[in-house]
Every structure is written in structure tokens, then in C-alpha cells.
Amino acid sequence: MTTTSPSPATRSHTRTATRSLLTCVVVATPLWAAVALSQAALREGFDITRHPLSALSNGSLGWLQIADFLVVGALLAVGATGLRRALIGTLGGTWVPRLVRVAGIGMIAAGVFVMDPADGFPVGTPYGRPTVLTWHSYAHFAAGSITFLSLIAACYVLGRHFGRAGDRRYALISRVGGTALLLGNGWAMGGGPAGTLTLAVGVITAMLALSLIANRFRSARRT
């Protein structure tokens, strides 16, 4: 039985499609950070040391952050296919794409289920935590937890992948991303001072690690 190798045109098309999918992951972090942090700086009553970025989904401009969750989540979920193609046959080639896709779906769910207003934001909301949480607030927290755990795991699996390959730079980037989110989320969940800030730093650092890694794979497919 004979086998036919893909033609140069087919290989070129596959490379282009993979690079397009990886671009989804590359742009996810800049988009997420730009939309969320600009609102955090400009929206009245928001204090990033007291309010999680998810709280931006409330109020008259809440649709901006909801759209941020939905679009960035979709980019990660779709871009996971590019990571699968880039990592096929290597350590982490199965679990990294799955974890990134789950993280993307978790972000979409976090956009669909909005957390309750709290602690003075939006303006006019009583200060302090709500005495009773709505079901969609619980759903939001569950979606967030799934997203964080998936991002942490994906970063550590990538760290092992690059460590095994002898690429110390990207092994370090991966592990720093996972550790930043692990510690930032742990500090926030433990009620540490400015926990919402450490959580925001952790999430953006882990997502940035994924974007940098996706860009590395994307660049490798130019040739």
C-alpha cells in the first residue's frame, strides 16, 4: 500500500490555518487587559484593590466587560486547536489544548453569569459584601474557579514540556505564569489585603504566558 504526502499547497494552507488559530491565543491577553484595565482606571467607584475585575460586568457599562469575557473566552477556546496542532506528538500535546479550551469556556460562562454588585460598586451599591448571593453569582464564581485552575494547570504542563525540550526561557515563562495565578488566587481566597489586585495580576500573568508561548509556536510556522 502506498501513501501520498501532502502537496506543498496543502502544507502551506495547513500552516496558515494553524497560525491563524494560534493568533487567537496571542491576542487574547492584550484584548482582555486593555478592556478590563482601562475600565478599572476610568469607571467611577471602582477600586482594583477592593473590587475584582469581574465586578465591571455590573452597571450601565457592564456590557463592555461581559463582551470582554465572551470574546476572549471564544478566542481561547478556538485557539486551543492551534495549540493542539503545534504540540501534537509532544509532551503536553493532549492536555494543554484541553485545559486552554476549558479555560476559554469558563470565561464565556463567567460573562454569561454576572456576579452581584458589592462593596460600593457600581456607585450607589451598599458597602460591604451582600448578605445573600444570587444563583448567577455562585455560577460566576464556579466558572471563575474552573478558569483559574485550568490556566494554572496548562501553564505547569507547558513548563514541563519546555523543560523536557531544554528550552529554559519558555519553561520559566510557563511556570511563572502558573505560579503567579496560583499565589494571586490563593491570597485573594484567603482574604489577604488587596486580594483582588493580586488575583488580577495573577490572571493577566498566566494569560500573558500563554500568549507568548502561542506567539512562539506561531512564529515557528512561518517556515
Side-chain angles (χ1 to χ4, degrees), residues 63-121:
W63 64 271
L64 285 170
Q65 188 57 27
I66 292 173
D68 198 21
F69 275 122
L70 298 178
V71 173
V72 173
L75 287 172
L76 291 177
V78 171
T81 300
L83 290 172
R84 178 176 60 79
R85 294 182 181 182
L87 289 164
I88 191 168
T90 67
L91 180 66
T94 298
W95 280 104
V96 168
R98 290 178 179 176
L99 290 165
V100 172
R101 183 168 286 112
V102 169
I105 293 171
M107 291 192 76
I108 292 172
V112 172
F113 303 109
V114 178
M115 68 175 292
D116 296 331
D119 204 15
F121 184 84

Side-chain angles (χ1 to χ4, degrees), residues 134-152:
T134 60
W135 68 268
H136 51 81
S137 193
Y138 280 115
H140 178 89
F141 294 140
S145 296
I146 291 171
T147 300
F148 301 154
L149 290 174
S150 297
L151 287 174
I152 292 167

Side-chain angles (χ1 to χ4, degrees), residues 19-217:
R19 291 184 70 234
S20 297
L21 290 167
L22 289 169
T23 300
C24 293
V25 182
V26 173
V27 303
T29 303
L31 177 59
W32 166 262
V35 175
L37 295 181
S38 60
Q39 291 186 84
L42 298 174
R43 288 187 62 181
E44 183 181 1
F46 187 87
D47 181 352
I48 198 170
T49 65
R50 292 174 34 234
H51 304 121
L53 293 175
S54 293
L56 292 165
S57 295
N58 290 293
S60 61
L61 294 176
W63 64 271
L64 285 170
Q65 188 57 27
I66 292 173
D68 198 21
F69 275 122
L70 298 178
V71 173
V72 173
L75 287 172
L76 291 177
V78 171
T81 300
L83 290 172
R84 178 176 60 79
R85 294 182 181 182
L87 289 164
I88 191 168
T90 67
L91 180 66
T94 298
W95 280 104
V96 168
R98 290 178 179 176
L99 290 165
V100 172
R101 183 168 286 112
V102 169
I105 293 171
M107 291 192 76
I108 292 172
V112 172
F113 303 109
V114 178
M115 68 175 292
D116 296 331
D119 204 15
F121 184 84
V123 174
T125 302
Y127 285 91
R129 302 296 177 188
T131 56
V132 178
L133 294 178
T134 60
W135 68 268
H136 51 81
S137 193
Y138 280 115
H140 178 89
F141 294 140
S145 296
I146 291 171
T147 300
F148 301 154
L149 290 174
S150 297
L151 287 174
I152 292 167
C155 285
Y156 281 129
V157 175
L158 282 166
R160 189 180 177 195
H161 165 86
F162 287 114
R164 182 74 63 85
D167 191 332
R168 296 182 179 180
R169 179 184 179 186
Y170 280 90
L172 178 62
I173 288 173
S174 303
R175 290 163 181 159
V176 167
T179 302
L181 180 50
L182 178 64
L183 295 179
N185 185 51
W187 184 257
M189 294 300 99
T196 52
L197 175 60
T198 65
L199 177 58
V201 171
V203 171
I204 292 174
T205 303
M207 290 179 62
L208 178 60
L210 285 179
S211 288
L212 291 173
I213 290 164
N215 188 59
R216 178 187 184 279
F217 291 143

